[in-house]
Amino acid sequence: MRTAEGAPLIANTPSAALGLADDLARLMDDMVTRQVSWDQLDTLVPDELDPYWQLSLRFLKIAREAWPALRAERGAIEAAERRDALIEAEAKRLAGSDAPVIAAGSTGSMPATAKLLATIATLPHGALVLPGLDMHLDEASWQMIAGNDRDETHDGLPAAGHAQFAMHALLDRLGIKRDEVEQLGNGEPHARDVLISEALRPAATTERWQARIDDSGFHRAVDAGLASLSVIEAANAEEEALAIAVALREALQEKDKTAALVTPDRALARRVVAALARWNVPVDDSGGDALTETPAGVFARLTVEVALHGLEPVPLLALLKHPLLRLGAEAGAHTRAIAALEGALLRGPRPKAGSVALAHALKAFRENRSELHPSDPRRKIGDSELDAAADLITRLSDALAPLEILKGRDRTLAAFAACHRTVIENLSREGDGVVAFAGHAGRALKTALDDLVDSPSAQGLATARVDYAELFHAALGDRVVRRPEIRDVRVHIYGPLEARLQQIDRVVLGGLNEGTWPPETRSDPWLSRPMRRALGLDPPERRIGLSAHDFAQGLGASEVILARAAKLAGAPTVTSRFVQRIAALAGKARWDEVIARGERYLDYARALDEPVEVAPAKRPEPRPPRDARPSRLSVTAIEDWLRDPYTIYAKFILRLAPLDAVDTPPGARDRGTVIHGAIGDYTVEFADTAPVDPLKELMRLGEKRFKPLADYEEARAFWWPRYERIARWFVQWDRERRAGLTALFAEIKGELAFPVGERTFTLSAIADRIERRADGSYAILDYKTGQARTEKQVRTGLAPQLTLEAAILREGGFKTIAPGSVSEITYVTLKGGEPAGKPQAIDFKDGTPDSQAEAALGKLKTLAATFEDESKPYYSLVHPMWKTHYGDFDHLARVKEWSLTGGGDEGGE
């Protein structure tokens, strides 16, 4: 639908149009069910309607003509029409029958059903058993339930929203007064029917509560009704589920006692099933799960997302690690290949889209693997693992091909569904079977795809590639998969409707929050409330009335527990209006007792996982044996050793390496690698003599270093201009620096060994740039694309990289450089901003670079000797640079636990 100007009015995407079509089909079913003729649309006056509803009415009149013609063309009738015809046929069959016929448990909410019940009621031996007819409500209030205005609302409970609305309408249709209905049995001893009758009375007559409260007989009935009622008010959904599980588990302590959870909240039902599994309690969950949420449905959704969105890393990994993935092999056959593919390509920046690009990226990784930093964990991926990953990509590409290469806007929804079905078969084929189509959920998925492929509507619906994923989800959104029945169990989970037909000793009514029970009212996008009322259709509040009836029926068990969560997904909830009314009628004192009984289950639930003793977390104190302690470290690792010894323990003793997150864009580390690498390459290549055109050479070397970023156009677009500015600045700075030098050394390796106890400790370094000046002294420079160290950090020994390099130089540890004095220590920051680069010489307040180098080496020797002692622990965050974060292994050291409890004060330095 569109406005006159052509702007989208409602549905601006194919999936939204499909949802709107579902609402139209629901309206059609409603009109058939309520036996409302389409001709009644002519009784609505367009001029009295908003322009939106005028457009809607015009469309409905078109549908009125087109829909019957389409049905006649296909020789079909509507499902609701067929259902009503079958019910009417049954009514005709029973008419005049002399056999005993009993109809039980129906409220006759549909006209066709009400007609059948009326037929049975008139039979000589016919009988109706009405579920939950309120025999206690006073006559005046009973008559108010029908109401003249079915849309009128009183305090949240409209006439159609009353629990007895359907029963009242049925008795009116049968021509029977309420006092003519014979009550079966003497009623339950708990007298809860009196309580619920008063609690749910029409809002317009709630002033009568005061008179009832003053009635001693009513007091006794309320006390009896509340005696076996408990309320669980949990903090969140998880606590609610566990407390319910405890209540259900407790019921099993009594022989042959049954218990059930009744709830419309399927998420709560699944949580309770999971909680009961800790005691191995079998549960018959008769509720269904949305097909798209079952393992087979999730697998199908991942298949679409991966194939149509270029094999994005996160959904691709989810698909590869899904238990239904087979690719022609047995379960788990591709574990090594998946791990190699994840480590090589899917962690860190994402490759280009598509399986071809993924194969190309793996080939490039294999070729450039030797250039990775020695500490990079990706260097450990062997050739056999990479071969397996390459084979996996080939298998995956072949399996996804039907969807991945399907292009063009002339494709139909049915064609996409057919290719989708083929891809699922390819991905989950094991031997002669397809595991994704096995089991009850798999068979439901296969049927749904077959229906979509065979649907005439889908065969005629042109679908764009970008729209299929949402269309598929929308098409399967109303498909529900029922779980297989488990017999001979004493714990059940029911939906509110089916719970009416059960007899259970203990019933838990769960999810009693507004929006869940009762559900939110759903507005009709095709007809406004006045339009529905004029046509004789029920208002949206009818669902509330049915929900209220289900709630009242659930309270009929001998033991009832009401449960709700104060928060869902972190957001506060509102207590169900049904529970609020009972609480108001009961009074604070009585209701506090009901809540106190429910607290018992919360106490049990909280105690299940409560530790015997809560002790503050302590800072970890690993003390590895001397032989396991490192005897060789680089100058860059010494800073970690000083600030955070635990990093040394994790990296060099446990040999752990942090992994990049999945699908992260190129970041500061990648920028630093390419820019630092290009400047370093230039310094190495032209250490002896500067080139004729330095800027041209820097651009050439930059292009080489930026080549791995070719797949990341955004990163190159941002970083290349920065590199160009850095290069222009560096040319001028380098020319000025070289004027006073006699020699230049770049990327030069050095070592310094000294005895520590019975072992020898070796300090290693790779200096970015060492210059020999005309006076014979040296300058040590370090290129930084990040933050340079301050004079205070260097002077106090917390940033000893360059002073230790100076110590190595002074001791002759750089083999091609004669030992000598160091007169300058400088950080050269290369950020590409304004200015593009900046030399930051460390001008020591105390001493000289030589004296600071000697002091740094002395501290290192003391530190190395200290950690030779096997009793010396590798503490975490001894001298952190930042209060909130320092190392890559803070999570392993559980810093957030012990730092908040004061555990860091023990054993600190």
Side-chain angles (χ1 to χ4, degrees):
M1 296 177 65
R2 293 181 177 271
T3 62
E5 293 77 15
L9 183 62
I10 299 177
N12 51 14
T13 65
S15 60
L18 190 58
L20 194 59
D22 284 341
D23 289 324
L24 178 59
R26 194 174 292 108
L27 173 60
M28 291 177 172
D29 288 343
D30 199 11
M31 294 185 72
V32 171
T33 298
R34 299 298 160 195
Q35 300 179 354
V36 175
S37 171
W38 283 89
D39 293 336
Q40 290 184 238
L41 292 175
D42 296 330
T43 63
L44 301 177
V45 182
D47 292 341
E48 298 177 356
L49 304 177
D50 181 88
Y52 172 92
W53 298 113
Q54 292 181 25
L55 285 172
S56 176
L57 182 60
R58 285 167 51 190
F59 183 88
L60 289 176
K61 289 181 177 180
I62 295 173
R64 176 180 63 183
E65 305 299 329
W67 181 241
L70 182 62
R71 285 187 297 154
E73 177 186 337
R74 297 185 179 178
I77 64 173
E78 296 187 45
E81 185 179 355
R82 179 178 181 274
R83 177 203 62 208
D84 287 355
L86 290 173
I87 293 175
E88 184 176 356
E90 181 65 8
K92 290 181 179 179
R93 186 184 72 83
L94 293 175
S97 173
D98 194 43
V101 180
I102 301 175
S106 175
T107 61
S109 58
M110 296 187 303
T113 306
K115 183 177 179 179
L116 173 62
L117 296 179
T119 300
I120 294 174
T122 59
L123 295 179
H125 298 93
L128 302 183
V129 180
L130 304 180
L133 178 63
D134 188 351
M135 303 296 291
H136 302 279
L137 190 64
D138 61 273
E139 187 61 26
S141 300
W142 172 259
Q143 293 303 329
M144 292 189 66
I145 292 175
N148 295 324
D149 187 349
R150 300 169 73 184
D151 235 1
E152 184 180 358
T153 300
H154 303 283
D155 189 30
L157 280 179
H162 195 277
Q164 294 292 309
F165 179 79
M167 301 301 301
H168 193 289
L170 178 61
L171 292 182
D172 284 349
R173 184 179 183 89
L174 297 176
I176 299 174
K177 294 185 180 299
R178 185 175 49 148
D179 56 9
E180 296 175 348
V181 177
E182 181 180 351
Q183 187 166 355
L184 299 178
N186 297 321
E188 293 292 335
H190 53 64
R192 209 173 293 127
D193 50 349
V194 177
L195 174 66
I196 195 63
S197 172
E198 280 300 319
L200 298 184
R201 71 163 42 249
T205 66
T206 51
E207 78 280 354
R208 302 191 183 187
W209 276 353
Q210 187 61 48
R212 295 288 279 163
I213 290 174
D214 294 336
D215 182 356
S216 60
F218 179 73
H219 272 283
R220 289 192 295 272
V222 171
D223 288 337
L226 295 176
S228 55
L229 185 69
S230 305
V231 170
I232 294 173
E233 291 192 337
N236 50 54
E238 291 73 18
E239 188 176 77
E240 178 189 13
L242 187 54
I244 291 173
V246 169
L248 298 175
R249 173 67 180 84
E250 183 189 54
L252 301 184
Q253 296 299 106
E254 298 183 29
K255 184 178 180 181
D256 298 330
K257 188 173 184 178
T258 57
L261 166 65
V262 180
T263 181
D265 187 349
R266 287 302 306 161
L268 175 61
R270 289 191 292 269
R271 287 191 181 100
V272 171
V273 171
L276 285 169
R278 69 193 302 164
W279 299 294
N280 297 317
V281 175
V283 183
D284 177 31
D285 184 2
S286 59
D289 296 311
L291 174 57
T292 52
E293 300 300 325
T294 63
V298 171
F299 186 76
R301 287 164 48 198
L302 287 172
T303 298
V304 174
E305 190 172 353
V306 168
L308 299 185
H309 293 83
L311 282 71
E312 294 178 354
V314 172
L316 176 58
L317 276 177
L319 177 66
L320 292 175
K321 296 183 179 183
H322 196 284
L324 294 179
L325 183 82
R326 293 294 188 275
L327 287 172
E330 61 184 10
H334 304 293
T335 302
R336 288 176 60 251
I338 294 170
L341 181 62
E342 177 181 354
L345 300 181
L346 303 183
R347 288 190 173 272
R350 72 166 64 174
K352 279 189 174 181
S355 56
V356 175
L358 193 65
H360 173 74
L362 186 65
K363 180 181 178 182
F365 172 81
R366 188 192 291 266
E367 294 172 351
N368 300 320
R369 184 177 36 157
S370 60
E371 299 180 10
L372 295 173
H373 192 275
S375 63
D376 195 319
R378 292 176 294 175
R379 288 179 65 101
K380 299 179 181 179
I381 303 175
D383 290 336
S384 61
E385 285 84 359
L386 292 176
D387 291 340
D391 179 67
L392 176 65
I393 293 175
T394 300
R395 289 171 177 261
L396 189 65
S397 176
D398 293 342
L400 296 175
L403 267 182
E404 190 179 13
I405 65 176
L406 188 65
K407 298 179 180 179
R409 295 186 59 87
D410 57 339
R411 302 290 183 177
T412 65
L413 178 59
F416 272 102
C419 292
H420 188 190
R421 180 178 59 189
T422 301
V423 169
I424 293 174
E425 293 172 350
N426 294 342
L427 289 171
S428 62
R429 185 175 300 282
E430 181 180 8
D432 296 331
V434 178
V435 293
F437 292 154
H440 60 286
R443 290 189 292 271
L445 174 63
K446 177 68 163 54
T447 300
L449 286 169
D450 291 345
D451 291 347
L452 202 55
V453 171
D454 298 335
S455 168
S457 299
Q459 291 170 358
L461 179 60
T463 302
R465 179 183 178 87
V466 295
D467 295 326
Y468 174 70
E470 287 189 11
L471 281 172
F472 169 74
H473 192 277
L476 269 65
D478 60 348
R479 301 250 180 173
V480 176
V481 179
R482 301 290 177 182
R483 301 189 180 191
E485 180 182 3
I486 303 177
R487 297 182 179 275
D488 300 324
V489 297
R490 292 195 284 152
V491 177
H492 303 265
I493 296 179
Y494 297 119
L497 179 61
E498 59 189 338
R500 297 181 187 177
L501 308 177
Q502 312 301 325
Q503 184 67 35
I504 301 295
D505 299 316
R506 172 177 290 182
V507 169
V508 180
L509 306 182
L512 288 169
N513 288 319
E514 287 292 307
T516 302
W517 196 346
E520 294 180 353
T521 56
R522 178 171 178 165
S523 299
D524 187 346
W526 293 101
L527 295 175
S528 65
R529 289 172 179 266
M531 294 168 74
R532 290 183 65 88
R533 184 170 61 249
L535 292 174
L537 297 174
D538 287 324
E541 285 77 16
R542 183 65 184 271
R543 293 183 65 203
I544 295 179
L546 297 175
S547 180
H549 188 270
D550 293 334
F551 175 76
Q553 291 293 94
L555 286 170
S558 56
E559 295 180 28
V560 177
I561 301 172
L562 310 180
R564 62 174 295 267
K567 285 187 176 182
L568 291 177
T573 60
V574 177
T575 307
S576 169
R577 65 191 70 180
F578 309 144
V579 179
Q580 290 186 51
R581 281 173 159 251
I582 295 176
L585 187 62
K588 186 178 186 306
R590 287 195 187 102
W591 195 245
D592 286 345
E593 293 178 4
V594 174
I595 292 177
R597 288 195 288 270
E599 282 288 337
R600 182 167 66 95
Y601 300 111
L602 288 171
D603 291 340
Y604 287 153
R606 292 163 184 161
L608 281 172
D609 299 316
E610 184 177 351
V612 177
E613 179 183 358
V614 179
K618 294 183 179 180
R619 179 186 296 189
E621 301 179 1
R623 292 178 172 85
R626 182 180 297 106
D627 292 343
R629 299 183 178 222
S631 60
R632 180 187 183 93
L633 290 174
S634 68
V635 291
T636 54
I638 302 304
E639 182 172 318
D640 287 332
W641 207 3
L642 289 164
R643 294 181 181 273
D644 184 27
Y646 192 88
T647 293
I648 301 299
Y649 169 73
K651 186 181 294 186
F652 296 99
I653 299 176
L654 299 183
R655 300 186 183 279
L656 301 177
L659 296 176
D660 290 331
V662 175
D663 193 15
T664 56
R669 187 184 66 177
D670 302 283
R671 182 181 70 243
T673 298
V674 295
I675 293 176
H676 189 286
I679 298 298
D681 291 344
Y682 176 87
T683 309
V684 171
E685 188 170 339
F686 302 104
D688 296 332
T689 305
V692 176
D693 190 345
L695 184 60
K696 178 181 178 181
E697 296 299 332
L698 277 168
M699 292 298 102
R700 175 181 64 82
L701 294 170
E703 287 287 356
K704 179 181 178 181
R705 284 288 181 170
F706 270 81
K707 188 176 180 180
L709 294 177
D711 291 346
Y712 315 107
E713 298 175 357
E714 298 87 350
R716 181 181 174 87
F718 278 104
W719 297 350
W720 182 254
R722 284 180 173 270
Y723 177 74
E724 288 181 323
R725 291 194 291 270
I726 291 171
R728 287 191 290 269
W729 175 87
F730 186 83
V731 167
Q732 180 64 30
W733 175 82
D734 184 63
R735 183 182 296 118
E736 295 174 358
R737 291 290 300 187
R738 287 177 185 259
L741 304 181
T742 61
L744 174 62
F745 308 92
E747 299 293 327
I748 184 169
K749 296 181 179 180
E751 289 185 355
L752 176 61
F754 53 85
V756 180
E758 298 177 355
R759 301 196 301 171
T760 298
F761 184 87
T762 301
L763 177 68
S764 65
I766 300 178
D768 286 349
R769 179 171 178 143
I770 298 178
E771 301 172 346
R772 186 165 62 210
R773 297 177 164 185
D775 62 1
S777 66
Y778 293 94
I780 299 179
L781 297 88
D782 187 66
Y783 300 133
K784 285 286 186 186
T785 56
Q787 190 67 35
R789 300 295 186 250
T790 65
E791 184 273 341
K792 182 179 180 181
Q793 291 171 341
V794 177
R795 174 170 44 84
T796 57
L798 292 179
Q801 176 186 348
L802 296 190
T803 51
L804 289 176
E805 287 182 7
I808 296 174
L809 177 59
R810 284 164 48 84
E811 297 291 333
F814 293 101
K815 300 302 182 184
T816 59
I817 305 177
S821 173
V822 178
S823 58
E824 179 185 349
I825 289 177
T826 295
Y827 289 100
V828 183
T829 58
L830 305 170
K831 296 186 177 181
E834 185 60 42
K838 180 181 179 181
Q840 294 179 245
I842 302 299
D843 186 12
F844 292 106
K845 295 181 179 179
D846 297 319
T848 64
D850 282 338
S851 63
Q852 291 295 332
E854 185 177 350
L857 182 59
K859 287 183 178 180
L860 174 61
K861 290 180 178 179
T862 301
L863 183 66
T866 299
F867 278 92
E868 279 294 291
D869 183 357
E870 292 186 339
S871 65
K872 175 65 177 177
Y874 285 82
Y875 286 119
S876 174
L877 300 186
V878 173
H879 298 294
M881 184 179 299
W882 300 283
K883 291 183 178 180
T884 56
H885 172 75
Y886 176 74
D888 293 318
F889 303 97
D890 288 354
H891 61 295
L892 187 64
R894 302 173 73 168
V895 169
K896 289 185 177 181
E897 295 182 35
W898 57 260
S899 61
L900 293 176
T901 60
D905 295 336
E906 300 178 17
E909 296 183 0

